[in-house]
Short mmCIF file of all heavy atoms in Angstrom, two decimals:
data_model
loop_
_atom_site.label_atom_id
_atom_site.label_comp_id
_atom_site.label_asym_id
_atom_site.label_seq_id
_atom_site.Cartn_x
_atom_site.Cartn_y
_atom_site.Cartn_z
N ARG A 179 -35.11 4.59 -21.73
CA ARG A 179 -35.68 3.29 -22.18
C ARG A 179 -36.95 3.54 -23.00
O ARG A 179 -37.18 2.85 -24.06
CB ARG A 179 -35.98 2.46 -20.95
CG ARG A 179 -34.73 2.03 -20.24
CD ARG A 179 -35.04 1.16 -19.00
NE ARG A 179 -35.63 -0.13 -19.35
CZ ARG A 179 -36.07 -1.01 -18.48
NH1 ARG A 179 -36.14 -0.73 -17.21
NH2 ARG A 179 -36.50 -2.22 -18.87
N LYS A 203 -28.04 -4.16 -8.61
CA LYS A 203 -28.46 -5.52 -9.02
C LYS A 203 -29.89 -5.44 -9.58
O LYS A 203 -30.23 -6.12 -10.58
CB LYS A 203 -28.39 -6.47 -7.83
CG LYS A 203 -27.00 -6.94 -7.43
CD LYS A 203 -27.10 -7.94 -6.33
CE LYS A 203 -25.74 -8.47 -5.90
NZ LYS A 203 -25.84 -9.40 -4.74
N ALA A 204 -30.76 -4.71 -8.94
CA ALA A 204 -32.13 -4.56 -9.33
C ALA A 204 -32.23 -4.00 -10.74
O ALA A 204 -33.04 -4.46 -11.58
CB ALA A 204 -32.94 -3.75 -8.40
N MET A 205 -31.44 -3.00 -11.05
CA MET A 205 -31.42 -2.38 -12.37
C MET A 205 -31.01 -3.41 -13.43
O MET A 205 -31.59 -3.50 -14.52
CB MET A 205 -30.57 -1.15 -12.42
CG MET A 205 -31.08 0.05 -11.67
SD MET A 205 -30.26 1.59 -12.11
CE MET A 205 -28.59 1.16 -11.63
N ILE A 206 -29.95 -4.14 -13.06
CA ILE A 206 -29.44 -5.12 -14.02
C ILE A 206 -30.52 -6.23 -14.29
O ILE A 206 -30.75 -6.63 -15.45
CB ILE A 206 -28.16 -5.74 -13.47
CG1 ILE A 206 -27.04 -4.70 -13.43
CG2 ILE A 206 -27.74 -6.97 -14.31
CD1 ILE A 206 -25.82 -5.14 -12.68
N GLU A 207 -31.05 -6.70 -13.24
CA GLU A 207 -32.07 -7.78 -13.36
C GLU A 207 -33.33 -7.27 -14.09
O GLU A 207 -33.96 -8.05 -14.80
CB GLU A 207 -32.46 -8.29 -11.98
CG GLU A 207 -31.34 -9.05 -11.27
CD GLU A 207 -31.59 -9.31 -9.86
OE1 GLU A 207 -32.66 -8.82 -9.32
OE2 GLU A 207 -30.76 -9.95 -9.19
N ASP A 208 -33.61 -5.98 -14.00
CA ASP A 208 -34.78 -5.43 -14.64
C ASP A 208 -34.54 -5.16 -16.14
O ASP A 208 -35.44 -4.76 -16.90
CB ASP A 208 -35.15 -4.07 -13.95
CG ASP A 208 -36.44 -3.50 -14.44
OD1 ASP A 208 -37.45 -4.23 -14.65
OD2 ASP A 208 -36.46 -2.27 -14.73
N GLY A 209 -33.28 -5.31 -16.58
CA GLY A 209 -32.96 -5.07 -17.94
C GLY A 209 -32.75 -3.60 -18.35
O GLY A 209 -32.83 -3.23 -19.49
N ALA A 210 -32.52 -2.77 -17.25
CA ALA A 210 -32.42 -1.36 -17.47
C ALA A 210 -31.11 -0.91 -18.07
O ALA A 210 -30.95 0.15 -18.67
CB ALA A 210 -32.64 -0.56 -16.14
N ILE A 211 -30.06 -1.80 -17.89
CA ILE A 211 -28.72 -1.41 -18.34
C ILE A 211 -28.36 -2.18 -19.59
O ILE A 211 -28.44 -3.38 -19.71
CB ILE A 211 -27.71 -1.82 -17.22
CG1 ILE A 211 -28.11 -1.22 -15.87
CG2 ILE A 211 -26.28 -1.34 -17.59
CD1 ILE A 211 -28.25 0.30 -15.88
#
Side-chain angles (χ1 to χ4, degrees):
R179 295 179 70 186
K203 284 182 179 179
M205 288 195 300
I206 293 168
E207 292 169 357
D208 186 46
I211 308 302

